[in-house]
Amino acid sequence: MTWLDRAVGAIAPQWQLRRVRARLATELVLRHFDAASAGRRTQGWRRASGDANATTAPFVGRLRDVARDLVRNNPYAESALSTIVDHTIGWGLVAKPQPANTRAMATWNAWANTTACDADGRHDFAGLQKLVMRSVVEAGEVLVRRRFRRPEDNLPIPLQLQVLESDYLDTLKHGISLPNGGRIVYGIEFDALGRRAAYWLFPEHPGNSAWPAIASQRVPASGVLHVFKPSRPGASRGASWFAPVLVRMKDFDEYEDATLMKQKIAACLAVITSDVDGSAAALGTADSSQSPAIDMLEPGMILNVPPGRNVEVVQPPNVREYADYSQTSLRSIAAGIGVTYEDLTGDYTELPFSAARMSRLRHSARLEDWRWRMLVPQFCDPVWGWAMESAVIMGLREAPAARWTTPPMPMVEPDKEGLAIMRNVRTGIQTLSDAIRERGYDVDEFLEEMAADYKRLDELGIVLDSDPRKMTQNGQAQGTPGAAAPTPAAGQEE
């Protein structure tokens, strides 16, 4: 017991007992969790206990600026960003109304497959998906505003999308309580039930050099999409995906610069001369009894130095540790961002098929999470709803829901993976429609195109080796002697 415990015990023994019990209980807990203890190994470990907004939102802007600088100047940062965007979006997530609605599909295609959907007139909807995903990864979040247009603008749907960087949020509006019971948290207004009611946005980008410092304006949340990856329950903002590796990437960038300078120094051949007894002539001075001046070196030169002169070549530094250190650092950077080491660096040497396959499967799981837990519910589905709502106003009878088809991951080894898909379909553990969707195609359009191709081939009398209606898997005509018999269905006799 401490002196304070003893002093308390002399006055109030029960208080003393409660103090000792509490201290012992705390020590027992800390002994079970090393990370919760206070000692040499955890000295200087800062452990914040704030909520998701207190530990993230104040630093979102700073992280965003640092990440943008790295993407501009660091090739690995740009490679990681492009890899995530290209793999997640590919040729774009494709929508199809459910149930099928020909008019709704035609209206959507006329709007989404052209630049009519972009307020800047630069991207189709697939391009906007890439722009949104790129902003989310780099800055942590992105805003998309709904912009209504007039019928005389002659758009397929009188609606356009404006993609805004998160800089437009007025983060100075924070901690404000509203009369209706709501509050404003870092530029986002919530109602009394905690639902997003509005966003306080600047009319111009605050980073614009000609920005006149105009006050922010309240924009209802019904016309704004806030896309980000929530890291914790209750998070209202998203931090850059580069946050876990920003310092490491900057350190590696500086290490590379230092190594390059080291190699430049090594490429400069340096010579040190010394006069042992002081009898040799100075370098560069005329001496009829000796060879010409030796302060200049030439390829293949043989020096005949004066007596007393000693010439030593400086040994250049080596960088033998560069490859091992670089690989270790880049592997940790790739893991922190969420890409594979090979995709980050473009180095696929000594990578066997099994390792490439496992790496691709692990990365594919992350892609599915980014698509179906963030991009589709926060961006694609709401945009479809906006488009169908406007189309109904323009005369569409009903507004169906949408089913999204995502692009597939490229096959690492097409012959083996294609054979596996065929076996899954033939054995019945996977439907043909499911296999077609996995390849990123619309089932109905795919089968209609296939039927049209077969019909045309039959009309021309052409039989392809790949036609399962007429050729066996062994490449022989169906029903010919020696042709492989079809596999009987489960439960049937051969």
Side-chain angles (χ1 to χ4, degrees):
M1 294 187 294
T2 64
W3 65 269
L4 182 59
D5 292 329
R6 289 191 292 271
V8 172
I11 302 174
Q14 292 182 350
W15 290 4
Q16 178 196 44
L17 182 60
R18 285 197 295 268
R19 284 175 54 84
V20 173
R21 284 177 177 174
R23 183 181 298 108
L24 290 176
T26 303
E27 290 179 356
L28 288 174
V29 171
L30 295 180
R31 288 172 186 171
H32 285 82
F33 297 95
D34 292 339
S37 63
R40 177 184 59 81
R41 297 178 64 188
T42 59
Q43 186 177 5
W45 192 346
R46 293 175 292 178
R47 291 164 281 194
S49 58
D51 65 4
N53 294 319
T55 56
T56 302
F59 315 105
V60 165
R62 180 67 174 174
L63 293 173
R64 178 181 64 218
D65 295 340
V66 175
R68 288 172 178 168
D69 180 76
L70 274 179
V71 171
R72 286 192 297 264
N73 298 288
N74 189 300
Y76 295 111
E78 172 60 34
S79 175
L81 178 58
S82 299
T83 296
I84 293 176
V85 174
D86 292 342
H87 288 182
T88 305
I89 306 301
W91 59 55
L93 279 69
V94 181
K96 184 177 181 181
Q98 294 295 318
N101 188 310
T102 305
R103 186 176 177 186
M105 191 73 247
T107 303
W108 170 264
N109 287 336
W111 181 77
N113 293 343
T114 66
T115 57
C117 63
D118 184 12
D120 293 333
R122 293 290 181 268
H123 301 281
D124 59 7
F125 189 60
L128 290 178
Q129 291 175 11
K130 280 200 167 187
L131 186 61
V132 165
M133 191 66 192
R134 183 180 179 90
S135 300
V136 169
V137 176
E138 183 180 46
E141 54 189 351
V142 69
L143 303 170
V144 181
R145 284 196 68 176
R146 174 173 57 177
R147 295 294 194 178
F148 290 111
R149 300 306 184 208
R150 297 171 297 182
E152 52 266 29
D153 291 330
N154 296 321
L155 296 174
I157 299 176
L159 167 72
Q160 288 186 319
L161 306 175
Q162 183 183 19
V163 180
L164 302 176
E165 292 184 317
S166 56
D167 308 57
Y168 279 81
L169 268 176
D170 185 2
T171 56
L172 295 180
K173 288 189 176 297
H174 173 63
I176 302 175
S177 299
L178 303 176
N180 60 1
R183 68 190 190 281
I184 302 178
V185 179
Y186 294 104
I188 304 175
E189 181 179 327
F190 297 87
D191 62 14
L193 298 179
R195 298 172 299 187
R196 293 172 183 249
Y199 293 87
W200 290 84
L201 304 178
F202 294 114
E204 298 288 343
H205 195 294
N208 188 347
S209 58
W211 188 57
I214 303 176
S216 59
Q217 302 173 358
R218 185 181 185 273
V219 180
S222 58
V224 179
L225 302 179
H226 187 196
V227 186
F228 69 99
K229 183 178 67 173
S231 57
R232 291 175 56 184
S236 61
R237 303 285 303 275
S240 170
W241 293 16
F242 288 91
V245 296
L246 284 175
V247 175
R248 188 178 292 271
M249 290 191 77
K250 184 61 176 176
D251 289 342
F252 182 75
D253 199 14
E254 294 177 351
Y255 170 77
E256 275 200 316
D257 290 342
T259 303
L260 177 60
M261 181 58 66
K262 191 176 182 180
Q263 287 295 88
K264 287 182 177 180
I265 295 174
C268 300
L269 179 60
V271 177
I272 298 178
T273 64
S274 58
D275 189 353
V276 180
D277 55 8
S279 60
L283 288 177
T285 58
D287 189 346
S288 58
S289 62
Q290 301 294 339
S291 59
I294 59 173
D295 53 352
M296 296 295 294
L297 298 178
E298 298 177 0
M301 185 176 186
I302 299 177
L303 299 180
N304 185 13
V305 298
R309 176 71 68 187
N310 183 29
V311 178
E312 296 181 2
V313 178
V314 177
Q315 296 297 324
N318 62 74
V319 289
R320 287 177 297 183
E321 74 282 358
Y322 173 76
D324 293 338
Y325 176 79
S326 297
Q327 189 177 81
T328 302
S329 296
L330 292 175
R331 286 189 183 278
S332 63
I333 290 173
I337 297 178
V339 299
T340 65
Y341 166 79
E342 292 75 23
D343 288 337
L344 177 69
T345 62
D347 180 15
Y348 295 90
T349 58
E350 301 180 1
L351 184 66
F353 171 78
S354 58
R357 179 67 177 166
M358 292 302 298
S359 177
R360 186 64 65 196
L361 289 175
R362 184 172 184 269
H363 184 57
S364 178
R366 291 187 172 183
L367 295 181
E368 295 300 305
D369 182 68
W370 299 336
R371 289 168 176 167
W372 297 108
R373 301 295 175 265
M374 183 188 70
L375 197 63
V376 169
Q378 296 183 28
F379 177 63
C380 295
D381 276 342
V383 169
W384 173 272
W386 285 351
M388 292 298 103
E389 178 183 341
S390 299
V392 168
I393 296 175
M394 295 300 293
L396 186 68
R397 293 184 178 180
E398 55 183 342
R403 183 180 67 190
W404 298 91
T405 302
T406 60
M409 287 291 291
M411 292 185 178
V412 179
E413 201 163 0
D415 56 341
K416 294 182 179 179
E417 297 183 47
L419 183 61
I421 294 175
M422 183 190 69
R423 288 174 175 172
N424 289 343
V425 174
R426 289 178 64 88
T427 56
I429 65 175
Q430 184 180 22
T431 65
L432 177 61
S433 297
D434 185 47
I436 294 173
R437 277 192 294 267
E438 279 189 356
R439 300 310 306 153
Y441 301 109
D442 180 83
V443 177
D444 294 335
E445 293 180 1
F446 186 92
L447 294 179
E448 289 173 2
E449 185 175 349
M450 179 184 290
D453 289 344
Y454 283 149
K455 181 179 180 181
R456 183 59 176 163
L457 291 173
D458 292 341
E459 292 174 352
L460 298 176
I462 301 175
V463 178
L464 298 179
D465 183 64
S466 59
D467 189 347
R469 305 172 305 158
K470 300 180 179 181
M471 303 295 292
T472 67
Q473 189 175 347
N474 296 331
Q476 296 178 326
Q478 293 279 8
T480 59
T487 304
Q492 294 183 352
E493 297 182 358
E494 298 186 13

